[in-house]
Structure formats: C-alpha cells, structure tokens
Amino acid sequence: DAVVNTHRTFYLPQTSAEFDLVAYDYIIDAIDSLQCKCHLILHATQMPGKFFSSMGDALKMDPTRIQVAEFWNVKGCPLAKAIRNRFKRNGTYPKKKFKCVFSEELLKNKGEDAEEPAGAALFPAKASNGSLCHTTGIFGLTLAGLVIQDIWKLDASDTRKE
C-alpha cells in the first residue's frame, strides 16, 4: 500500500516548495551537498512525518562499521560534524530528533597528495574519492530498514503468539 513520491529534480532551497513534505509519512535524506542537506534537515524536522538521514559514505569501505544513531550522537563522521557546526554557527537547529546512518571509518583521502591534473579547476583531486557501491547500498538499505522497523512498530498492536 506504499505510495512513493519521486521527483526528477534536486532538492535545493530554491526547489523545496515543489516537495509537499507535510503530506509524507517518511522523509529520507541522501543528499551530498552540505547546503541542501542542512536545508532539508531543518525543513523536514518541522514536518509531522518521520525523518531519517544518511551521513557521509565517501571514504568508507568496511560494511561492518556502518551503524545508526541519533544525529547529535553520531561520532567520527566529518559530514555530521560539519552539519552540526553549521547549525551552531547559524543558530538554527532541527526541530526534532532523527536517526542517521553513518560510519566512523575514515580512510585517507587519496586526492590530498595527488598532483593537480589538467582541468583541476573544474575537478579538484579531492573530488576523486567517491563512495563504493557496496557501502552506498548498505547505507540505503539501512535507511529503508529504519522505515520498515518504524512501520512494524506502528503495526505491533498485533499480539498473536507465534
């Protein structure tokens, strides 16, 4: 009975009005842009629906280190730290608590010591360290699992004995 709303656009502060978040039971964040992620977190946590967020997956390789925690309890994740610092600096905070998928693993950024390739102004070396498909998939499936677990709790009034 799920209705999944998809949009063929990016969530940006300028496009946020296109997303009727008040109508959603669940809002899932998997945005990479710091500015857009912060905007969505602040906006989504004002909505009645449940909100879950993925923190940084770049430079992660060990799937056994992926975990879930409330946003303010996420440790060892540079993206979560940057978001918290931005909220503190701007004096704006999420209106409610929310869970995040993250990993404390932090591999060396191979682009830090690399020579600047031709066209570096367009594609700096640090941008070459993306995410690996196995950890990205686990982050996404964990987010889906959080939604399913929440739905199951809502339906947990079924007290049948197995």
Side-chain angles (χ1 to χ4, degrees):
D1 295 332
V3 175
V4 177
N5 297 297
T6 61
H7 299 272
R8 296 183 67 76
T9 187
F10 289 105
Y11 182 93
L12 308 167
Q14 309 88 284
T15 62
S16 62
E18 296 176 32
F19 297 81
D20 184 22
L21 299 184
V22 74
Y24 298 167
D25 294 320
Y26 295 94
I27 303 165
I28 306 297
D29 158 44
I31 296 174
D32 290 329
S33 159
L34 184 62
Q35 176 190 13
C36 299
K37 186 177 222 51
C38 288
H39 188 277
L40 177 61
I41 289 170
L42 293 174
H43 188 62
T45 57
Q46 295 177 37
M47 300 298 127
K50 280 273 191 149
F51 175 67
F52 299 109
S53 182
S54 175
M55 291 293 114
D57 180 32
L59 300 172
K60 312 295 187 219
M61 198 180 296
D62 184 351
T64 66
R65 299 194 54 194
I66 297 169
Q67 52 192 305
V68 176
E70 194 278 322
F71 172 69
W72 295 101
N73 295 325
V74 170
K75 304 292 182 225
C77 175
L79 179 58
K81 181 179 180 181
I83 293 167
R84 287 191 297 262
N85 287 340
R86 181 173 284 204
F87 289 158
K88 290 174 187 174
R89 187 174 59 248
N90 294 340
T92 56
Y93 299 94
K95 297 293 182 195
K96 62 184 175 186
K97 293 182 177 187
F98 60 96
K99 289 184 179 178
C100 299
V101 178
F102 74 103
S103 172
E104 293 180 88
E105 178 182 26
L106 187 59
L107 301 175
K108 182 176 178 356
N109 186 332
K110 302 253 184 217
E112 288 177 338
D113 300 326
E115 287 186 31
E116 293 295 318
L122 295 175
F123 302 102
K126 283 188 176 185
S128 66
N129 290 286
S131 302
L132 297 170
C133 65
H134 71 291
T135 55
T136 301
I138 294 168
F139 270 62
L141 290 169
T142 303
L143 287 166
L146 290 171
V147 172
I148 292 166
Q149 287 173 354
D150 191 71
I151 291 169
W152 182 259
K153 280 193 289 186
L154 293 176
D155 292 338
S157 59
D158 182 357
T159 57
R160 289 179 290 173
K161 302 232 183 215
E162 296 295 322

